[in-house]
């Protein structure tokens, strides 16, 4: 047993050696975060910052946490979802890196929020969120800590929407940098990360064959686009459902069938919700689905599939594989809910691959540094990641991949800024 003096609440500290291996494995795919870590270690730009981070506790997050600590931050970490923690990684962060972690995979809601409060235990000056549970806890239960906070970052679409609505109502009490809005975040993490890891989660949980399956994807934002593209590549017959006419049109022109969920529900084999909204799949859909249909969610919260609605139609439920719950409906059909309707890519798989989290977390690290540098200059608003940071991350990622690109000639540079030259 370790003699750590760091505060923690993790599943089992003896898992630390396995966790360290996972962190090192992820590290080799995160060259941009590594460059930032090396600079942070030299320059200590985060010295004196107390950071509370509410992020999925994965091997990729561990590499971010290590970089922040090396930059001088005093960091405490809790999970941003009850099912997404990698327990061995949590143990390694505590034992091997001396970072306080409060996260256990499968924790109930009460423990989840207890952990959020523990992550706030050192009265932070900066918050990092993935879904805005930390910020909303601060604004509801821990208002007394807000005076000491200079800013925060937010990782995900759902969190940014929540924070924007707080700012619009005038209740947001400190500035937030929306990491999700960096192009080097959503174009890659949301699209290629969610595209791959969602299917990875569904396949690991069920071992279902995607080729020939009718996959219904609800929501054609960047995440939905990525899932649709990858499912098609695996041979699935993809149907998209949408409420936004422009996104629906994009899906049609990308070659997918688009129809209302009431129709898609009758023909789908695998349903994936990724809308960010609630009750996308409800009793009216469960009632017409074919027996054996698989229901998965990859949106941030477990509200997209109406689970109480599913339970109201069922005569019983049974866990038949890890992360697979069989609902026996009264008319004899069976529906299969994956990962309790929580983000399937983190519940039954490992989340996005490290190579894509490299860019998301480079944005996080540089956004925290930006908050440290621009102390007191920002309003109580939601800000984008500065374009110089976004472009620099793209440059570093390309260079780490050995890809070189062209530069504008002076003549081309001038041409872009003139309006007088035509045909
Ligand atoms: N969100 C999606 N995938 C993730 C990962 N691997 N680590 C942290 N957050 C994530």
């Amino acid at each position: 047993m370790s003699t750590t003096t760091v505060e923690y609440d993790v599943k089992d500290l003896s898992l630390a050696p396995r966790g360290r291996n996972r962190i090192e494995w992820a590290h080799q795919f995160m060259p941009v975060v590594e460059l930032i870590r090396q600079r942070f270690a030299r320059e200590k730009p985060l010295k004196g910052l107390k950071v509370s981070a509410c992020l999925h506790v994965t091997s990729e997050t561990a590499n971010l946490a290590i970089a922040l600590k090396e930059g001088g931050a005093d960091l405490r970490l809790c999970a941003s979802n009850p099912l997404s923690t990698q327990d061995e990684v949590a143990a390694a962060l505590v034992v091997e890196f001396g970072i306080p972690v409060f996260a256990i995979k499968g924790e109930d809601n009460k423990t989840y929020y207890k952990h959020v409060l523990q992550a706030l235990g050192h009265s932070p000056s900066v918050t990092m969120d993935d879904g805005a549970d930390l910020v909303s806890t601060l604004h509801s239960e821990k208002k007394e800590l807000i005076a000491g906070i200079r800013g925060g970052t937010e990782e995900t679409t759902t969190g940014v929407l929540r924070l924007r609505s707080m700012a619009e109502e005038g209740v947001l009490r400190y500035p937030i940098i929306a990491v999700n809005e960096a192009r080097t975040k959503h174009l890659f993490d949301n699209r290629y990360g969610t595209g791959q890891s969602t299917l990875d989660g569904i396949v690991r949980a069920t071992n279902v064959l995607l080729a020939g399956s009718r996959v219904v994807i609800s929501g054609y934002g960047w995440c939905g686009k990525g899932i649709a593209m990858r499912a098609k590549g695996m041979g699935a017959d993809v149907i998209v459902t949408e409420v936004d006419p422009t996104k629906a049109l994009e899906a049609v022109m990308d070659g997918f069938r688009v129809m209302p969920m009431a129709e898609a529900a009758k023909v789908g084999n695998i349903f994936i919700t990724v809308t960010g909204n609630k009750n996308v799949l409800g009793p009216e859909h469960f009632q017409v689905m074919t027996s054996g249909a698989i229901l998965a969610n990859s949106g941030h919260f477990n509200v997209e599939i109406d689970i109480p609605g599913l339970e109201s139609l069922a005569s019983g439920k049974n866990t038949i594989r890890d992360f697979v719950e069989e609902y026996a409906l009264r008319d004899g059909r069976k529906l299969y809910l994956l990962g309790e309707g929580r983000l399937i890519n983190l519940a039954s798989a490992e989340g996005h691959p490290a190579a894509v989290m490299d860019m998301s977390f480079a944005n996080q690290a540089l956004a925290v540094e930006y908050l440290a540098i621009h102390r007191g200059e920002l309003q109580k608003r939601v800000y984008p990641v500065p374009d110089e940071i976004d472009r620099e991350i793209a440059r570093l990622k390309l260079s780490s991949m050995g890809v070189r690109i062209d530069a504008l000639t002076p003549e081309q540079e001038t041409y872009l800024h003139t309006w007088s030259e035509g045909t």
Side-chain angles (χ1 to χ4, degrees):
M1 195 60 166
S2 157
T3 55
T4 181
T5 55
V6 167
E7 258 188 87
Y8 64 86
D9 189 12
V10 302
K11 186 171 181 204
D12 178 359
L13 289 184
S14 74
L15 298 172
R18 276 186 47 194
R20 189 186 186 105
N21 285 343
R22 286 184 74 140
I23 294 169
E24 285 173 1
W25 178 258
H27 175 259
Q28 63 177 311
F29 301 104
M30 301 181 78
V32 182
V33 168
E34 170 57 13
L35 280 176
I36 294 169
R37 184 196 67 76
Q38 287 172 14
R39 179 171 67 74
F40 277 10
R42 285 192 308 275
E43 298 174 4
K44 303 283 179 207
L46 312 184
K47 194 157 186 289
L49 278 196
K50 287 193 271 177
V51 179
S52 294
C54 179
L55 300 169
H56 301 297
V57 180
T58 64
S59 51
E60 293 76 28
T61 302
N63 281 284
L64 169 64
I66 292 161
L68 297 175
K69 185 173 179 186
E70 294 215 17
D74 168 9
L75 175 80
R76 288 164 82 93
L77 176 64
C78 66
S80 55
N81 185 294
L83 261 192
S84 62
T85 299
Q86 295 168 358
D87 290 315
E88 59 276 43
V89 169
L93 281 173
V94 172
V95 174
E96 313 249 352
F97 299 95
I99 295 176
V101 180
F102 309 93
I104 299 172
K105 183 163 181 134
E107 62 197 12
D108 58 20
N109 263 27
K110 191 161 161 254
T111 313
Y112 173 79
Y113 279 105
K114 182 185 85 177
H115 286 159
V116 170
L117 291 175
Q118 285 177 298
L120 293 168
H122 61 342
S123 305
S125 42
V126 167
T127 63
M128 301 177 79
D129 233 331
D130 186 337
D133 280 345
L134 191 82
V135 174
S136 71
T137 301
L138 267 167
H139 282 70
S140 52
E141 285 174 54
K142 282 281 166 189
K143 295 190 181 87
E144 68 278 13
L145 298 182
I146 291 181
I149 299 182
R150 68 173 69 168
T153 66
E154 170 53 53
E155 169 80 5
T156 198
T157 317
T158 295
V160 172
L161 281 173
R162 287 176 91 188
L163 293 162
R164 282 244 152 78
S165 77
M166 287 174 78
E168 272 157 28
E169 275 178 35
V171 296
L172 182 67
R173 292 185 51 197
Y174 60 87
I176 298 285
I177 300 186
V179 165
N180 188 63
E181 290 183 2
R183 282 172 303 158
T184 47
K185 200 279 183 180
H186 65 260
L187 291 179
F188 303 94
D189 171 314
N190 301 28
R191 180 167 36 174
Y192 305 113
T194 309
Q196 178 168 320
S197 64
T198 299
L199 298 182
D200 183 18
I202 292 170
V203 169
R204 286 200 210 191
T206 62
N207 200 26
V208 73
L209 181 68
L210 288 167
S213 291
R214 210 164 283 141
V215 176
V216 178
I217 297 166
S218 196
Y220 205 66
W222 289 112
C223 296
K225 285 190 176 91
I227 301 170
M229 170 174 54
R230 293 307 185 230
K232 183 179 180 178
M234 296 280 280
D237 173 12
V238 176
I239 295 171
V240 171
T241 74
E242 246 306 338
V243 292
D244 178 315
T246 316
K247 288 181 181 162
L249 193 55
E250 261 187 295
V252 171
M253 297 221 181
D254 285 344
F256 300 113
R257 273 191 291 160
V258 176
M259 61 183 78
M261 184 57 93
E263 284 170 36
K266 295 180 197 157
V267 295
N269 307 121
I270 302 171
F271 293 83
I272 307 171
T273 55
V274 65
T275 67
N277 216 325
K278 66 196 294 193
N279 298 340
V280 176
L281 286 176
E284 69 276 30
H285 306 121
F286 307 138
Q287 248 145 2
V288 297
M289 284 179 183
T290 56
S291 192
I294 291 169
L295 317 176
N297 168 53
S298 209
H300 187 81
F301 287 120
N302 60 335
V303 295
E304 305 211 13
I305 301 171
D306 176 4
I307 298 172
L310 181 56
E311 278 172 357
S312 73
L313 298 179
S315 56
K317 72 173 176 180
N318 195 9
T319 307
I320 48 158
R321 294 165 61 100
D322 288 348
F323 307 107
V324 183
E325 208 76 43
E326 179 184 82
Y327 284 80
L329 305 193
R330 289 202 197 83
D331 60 13
R333 283 173 305 126
K334 289 176 175 166
L335 299 182
Y336 296 96
L337 176 68
L338 306 191
E340 302 168 19
R342 298 193 187 276
L343 300 148
I344 195 60
N345 60 341
L346 283 140
S348 60
E350 298 172 52
H352 304 347
V356 85
M357 293 313 294
D358 190 26
M359 288 184 279
S360 312
F361 285 165
N363 275 291
Q364 284 283 6
L366 297 183
V368 171
E369 183 184 36
Y370 186 86
L371 288 170
I373 295 168
H374 296 273
R375 178 182 194 157
E377 292 169 25
L378 302 176
Q379 314 291 311
K380 295 168 185 168
R381 286 182 19 215
V382 178
Y383 288 87
V385 172
D387 201 45
E388 317 82 78
I389 291 182
D390 204 356
R391 290 172 69 84
E392 179 60 10
I393 290 169
R395 266 192 292 274
L396 292 173
K397 188 70 182 176
L398 277 175
S399 140
S400 78
M401 297 166 87
V403 177
R404 294 183 305 120
I405 60 172
D406 292 321
L408 292 173
T409 63
E411 183 196 24
Q412 289 171 327
E413 189 86 61
T414 310
Y415 181 76
L416 286 180
H417 296 101
T418 54
W419 55 270
S420 53
E421 239 181 284
T423 306

